[in-house]
Every structure is written in C-alpha cells, then in structure tokens.
C-alpha cells in the first residue's frame, strides 16, 4: 500500500491539482457548500482569526478557502512533498500561510491555546486506535477558549461488497492490503467518541453516499 508521501509525489508529478485529483472541482464545490453552511449558522470565526488545518495536503482545500477570507492559516501534514507544494501554491497566489510537516498526534511545535478554529481536513478518519485520542488531546490543547473544532469524517458502514469484505465491524476499521486504512464508525459511535474525548457537539450535517456516509460536526471543548 502506498504511503501518503508516495501518493503526493505521484499527484504532483502528474500535475494534479490536489489530493482529489481530477475530482478537485467537485470536491471544492462540496467544501464551499459545507463552509458556507457553517458560516451561515455561526460556527466559523470572524475574518482575521487563526485557523489550523489537520491534514492540509497541498493547501488547496480548507487552507485556501480560509486564507482567501482574510484569516491567518496554518496547515499540518505528514507528507513533506505536500507541505512544500502547499508553500509554493500559496506563494504563487500571493496569499500567506504557514505549513508544517508533522504528526497530528504530536504537534509539539505549536503553542497551547493558539487557534480559534481547527479543521479536520478529512484527517481524523485516517487515524486508528490510540492515534485518535492523541489527536483529540492535541486539539483540546491547541484550541482557544470558545474555539471550534470542525470534524469532517467518514461514518456508517461500507456499502460496497469489496469494502465490506475488508471491514472489521467490531473495531470499526476498514483494511487495505491487510493493513488498517480508515476508521469507519457508525455515526452514534463517532458521536460518543467525540463526547468522551471532552467535546460538546453543536452542529451536524450528514451526507449519504453509496460507498459510506460522511458527516461534518462542529464541536467545542467541554
């Protein structure tokens, strides 16, 4: 199974716009719809706020949207190629952002209570086992008082037969090539995990898909 670094190298070498490849226009439209909905319901901070994207990739999704709105953007990703790519993308567009290569489970390079909003760039469902609590702990540490954590996550159970054959329902793990690939929880289990991690859920939007569902949640620290 390819690593995230290998995937980003291939995407960049093939002149793809982002992680979503040729599906980028659709992904950008969906993201814009989601963020506009969050803004309309009062779950996004005012322009000029400090924003962290977990799993920022090449910066062309959440980080770009918030930077264009006049926010101070920081992105973290495990892939060095993605981080260099994000820096170049922002420089080319003459917008500012800080991009750091790092592990979302241990963001020691970032100070406590420094972000008004932390956005899960479809990163949390890539974490399995104890990684998830470690990441939640980092989010609690980094959020300012009354700050918001937006979670964008796969949920439910797989709809396609090939995925069901590689799904451990007891552990909520979807496997690829015999290795844990994604955490795929029923929505109620995901909600309970978030609450147990010390958050209060304030907003939820659930999208149904043939493959698995996807949920967006806005939460604050308890």
């Amino acid at each position: 199974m390819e690593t995230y670094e290998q995937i980003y190298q291939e995407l960049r070498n093939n002149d793809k716009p982002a992680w979503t490849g040729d599906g980028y226009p659709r992904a950008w439209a969906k993201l814009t719809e989601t963020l506009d909905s969050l803004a309309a319901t009062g779950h996004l901070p005012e322009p000029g706020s400090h924003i962290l994207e977990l799993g920022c990739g090449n910066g062309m999704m959440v980080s770009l949207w918030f930077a264009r709105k006049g926010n101070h953007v920081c992105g973290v990703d495990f892939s060095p190629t993605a981080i260099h790519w994000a820096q170049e993308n922002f420089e080319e567009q003459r917008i500012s952002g800080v991009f750091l290569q790092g592990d979302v489970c241990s963001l020691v390079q970032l100070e406590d209570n420094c972000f008004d909003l932390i956005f899960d760039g479809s990163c949390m469902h890539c974490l399995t086992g104890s990684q998830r609590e470690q990441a939640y702990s980092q989010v609690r540490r980094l959020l300012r008082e009354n700050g918001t954590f937006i979670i964008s996550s796969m949920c439910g159970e797989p709809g396609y037969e090939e995925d069901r054959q590689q799904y451990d329902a007891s552990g909520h793990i979807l496997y690829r090539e015999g290795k844990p690939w994604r955490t795929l929880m029923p929505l109620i289990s995901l909600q309970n995990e978030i609450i147990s991690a010390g958050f209060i859920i304030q907003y939820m939007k659930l999208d149904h898909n043939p493959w698995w569902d996807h949920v967006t949640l806005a939460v604050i620290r308890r």
Side-chain angles (χ1 to χ4, degrees), residues 102-123:
D103 182 348
V104 299
C105 298
S106 180
L107 296 170
V108 294
Q109 65 271 57
L110 297 174
E111 296 181 2
D112 295 359
N113 310 117
C114 55
F115 293 103
D116 301 293
L117 182 138
I118 297 176
F119 201 104
D120 160 28
S122 294
C123 176

Side-chain angles (χ1 to χ4, degrees), residues 79-109:
S79 162
T81 293
I83 292 302
H84 294 316
W85 194 3
Q87 291 167 341
E88 291 180 9
N89 281 332
F90 268 49
E91 288 171 4
E92 287 175 3
Q93 299 192 47
R94 297 186 178 181
I95 51 179
S96 61
V98 176
F99 295 98
L100 306 171
Q101 192 276 327
D103 182 348
V104 299
C105 298
S106 180
L107 296 170
V108 294
Q109 65 271 57

Side-chain angles (χ1 to χ4, degrees), residues 140-151:
R140 289 195 306 269
R141 179 180 69 81
L142 295 170
L143 272 180
R144 289 176 173 168
E145 186 176 359
N146 299 320
T148 301
F149 179 32
I150 306 294
I151 300 168

Side-chain angles (χ1 to χ4, degrees), residues 3 32 37 52 79 86 90 101 120 134 140 179 182 185 188 192 200 202 222:
T3 66
T32 299
S37 175
L52 173 65
S79 162
F90 268 49
Q101 192 276 327
D120 160 28
Q134 291 168 16
R140 289 195 306 269
K179 298 178 181 179
R182 297 288 187 267
M185 291 184 172
I188 186 63
N192 288 337
I200 300 169
Q202 295 194 313
R222 190 166 55 235

